[in-house]
Amino acid sequence: MTAATAALPKAKTDWLPLLLVPALALGALPLVGNPSTWVTLTVAALAMGMMIYLMASGLTLVFGLMDVLNFGHGVFISFGAYVALIVLVPLQSWAVADNVWLNIGVLLLCILVSMIVTGALGYFFERVIIRPVYGQHLKQILITMGGMIVAEQMIHVIWGASPIPIKLPESFRGAFVIGDAAMEKYRVIAVILGLAVFIAMHIGLNRTKIGLLIRAGVENPEMVEALGYRIRRLFVGVFIAGSALAGLGGVLWAFYRQTLTAGMGMEVNVLIFIVIIIGGLGSVGGCFVGSLLVALVANYTGFLAPKLALGSSILLMVLILLWRPQGLFPVAKR
């Protein structure tokens, strides 16, 4: 283990990109004008950013560690959302009960079951679709897009093509009101969950034996194999974990939208790739910062100049790439 991890570079923390998030938030305050409105917009943006991060983190993990371009990632988001519906229907009495513990229980069950199902789907996806095209990026793009189309049609067959409404559990509706500022309860929950997942991923990749093995396997797979570790199994585990994270993001996104559609995951695919490009290909920390930047810019722009909101993410990506062509935290050797 010591020999494998010795090859890992000792990265220094680059603080400049990290300062972009507070700088952007503080810079928007005088433009918004009203501090209460600014707090409401900022908390809403942080919540949206956390949900984007949860959906994008699985893909950046897979690409950064396995060098796999999975354009079918949105399928796992959609399946995660629909699996949550399956859990929610028989437990509807828990969701409508005015009991915070029952509401938390049903949300956690939705998340747990969705992560298990999407993780299993990811295992099947890797075995059948991804494995034959490792190292062939063009074929990966084509075959994963084909898998995405097939999976979307399967959703139509199982659940139908019509949008399905999904309601928040009773305790998560409404908002916390502090002075003149209102913070929706569900958005606060999304921020907490997003932070928890980010911290867990950071610790898992940097402070555990499995995380060190995975990182060592990326840098020097032959040495890890020579030490007796099955690096292929580790990478399959990474793909399963990335798919499960997409399912988690799909659950939160479904409750955020409160409407299920078969294409809901594919609709955010472009936004996910923008976040990954901004953060740096394969960087979990960059994905986190990129998600927050995209969400903050979208919210502030939507309030100040609604007509520019749709193109704000593209404009942000262009500006970041003009400054740092490889993204904020480039780690992948491409």
Side-chain angles (χ1 to χ4, degrees), residues 64-126:
L65 299 181
M66 300 176 64
D67 195 22
V68 171
L69 285 171
N70 181 14
F71 274 65
H73 186 74
V75 167
F76 305 114
I77 298 172
S78 297
F79 263 96
Y82 275 91
V83 170
L85 179 66
I86 294 175
V87 176
L88 199 60
V89 169
L91 297 177
Q92 191 64 31
S93 59
W94 289 21
V96 299
D98 191 13
N99 184 311
V100 65
W101 296 112
L102 288 178
N103 295 161
I104 291 175
V106 73
L107 176 62
L108 292 179
L109 277 174
C110 288
I111 290 173
L112 178 62
V113 176
S114 293
M115 291 183 72
I116 292 172
V117 172
T118 52
L121 181 63
Y123 175 75
F124 174 81
F125 205 80
E126 192 276 339

Side-chain angles (χ1 to χ4, degrees), residues 1-330:
M1 183 61 202
T2 303
T5 54
L8 295 177
K10 295 181 180 179
K12 295 181 179 179
T13 303
D14 187 356
W15 292 102
L16 190 56
L18 295 175
L19 296 176
L20 288 178
V21 174
L24 176 61
L26 293 175
L29 177 56
L31 296 176
V32 174
N34 189 324
S36 299
T37 304
W38 176 82
V39 170
T40 301
L41 289 172
T42 303
V43 173
L46 291 176
M48 181 179 177
M50 291 300 179
M51 285 183 276
I52 295 172
Y53 166 71
L54 290 172
M55 291 185 285
S57 60
L59 183 58
T60 198
L61 195 66
V62 167
F63 180 74
L65 299 181
M66 300 176 64
D67 195 22
V68 171
L69 285 171
N70 181 14
F71 274 65
H73 186 74
V75 167
F76 305 114
I77 298 172
S78 297
F79 263 96
Y82 275 91
V83 170
L85 179 66
I86 294 175
V87 176
L88 199 60
V89 169
L91 297 177
Q92 191 64 31
S93 59
W94 289 21
V96 299
D98 191 13
N99 184 311
V100 65
W101 296 112
L102 288 178
N103 295 161
I104 291 175
V106 73
L107 176 62
L108 292 179
L109 277 174
C110 288
I111 290 173
L112 178 62
V113 176
S114 293
M115 291 183 72
I116 292 172
V117 172
T118 52
L121 181 63
Y123 175 75
F124 174 81
F125 205 80
E126 192 276 339
R127 295 278 295 186
V128 176
I129 296 179
I130 300 295
R131 182 164 295 191
V133 291
Y134 273 120
Q136 305 174 64
H137 286 163
L138 180 58
K139 289 184 178 180
Q140 287 172 4
I141 293 171
L142 294 175
I143 199 168
T144 54
M145 289 187 69
M148 176 187 68
I149 294 170
V150 171
E152 184 175 349
Q153 296 307 310
M154 287 178 59
I155 293 176
H156 284 156
V157 171
I158 298 172
W159 287 285
S162 301
I164 301 174
I166 183 172
K167 293 183 179 180
L168 274 172
E170 188 67 31
S171 300
F172 304 153
R173 302 175 190 175
F176 298 111
V177 179
I178 303 175
D180 294 329
M183 298 178 289
E184 291 185 30
K185 295 178 182 179
Y186 181 68
R187 294 178 188 268
V188 175
I189 292 170
V191 171
I192 295 171
L193 285 174
L195 284 173
V197 170
F198 172 70
I199 293 170
M201 287 183 65
H202 180 76
I203 293 174
L205 288 173
N206 296 282
R207 296 287 186 269
T208 66
K209 182 178 179 180
I210 292 178
L212 293 174
L213 279 172
I214 292 170
R215 291 168 56 226
V218 174
E219 295 292 331
N220 198 331
E222 293 82 7
M223 182 176 290
V224 176
E225 288 278 0
L227 291 172
Y229 295 100
R230 301 290 296 275
I231 195 66
R232 177 60 61 194
R233 289 184 179 179
L234 287 174
F235 282 178
V236 171
V238 168
F239 197 92
I240 292 172
S243 304
L245 284 172
L248 167 59
V251 174
L252 295 184
W253 192 244
F255 282 120
Y256 175 77
R257 289 178 29 141
Q258 298 190 40
T259 303
L260 300 182
T261 59
M264 61 183 293
M266 283 62 85
E267 290 168 4
V268 296
N269 245 5
V270 174
L271 188 60
I272 288 172
F273 275 98
I274 289 174
V275 164
I276 292 173
I277 292 169
I278 288 174
L281 300 177
S283 171
V284 174
C287 176
F288 182 78
V289 175
S291 299
L292 295 181
L293 288 174
V294 165
L296 286 168
V297 169
N299 260 28
Y300 293 143
T301 306
F303 178 78
L304 297 169
K307 292 184 179 180
L308 298 178
L310 291 176
S312 62
S313 301
I314 300 293
L315 178 60
L316 176 65
M317 182 179 68
V318 170
L319 293 175
I320 293 294
L321 293 182
L322 286 174
W323 174 41
R324 293 194 172 188
Q326 292 184 324
L328 296 175
F329 296 96

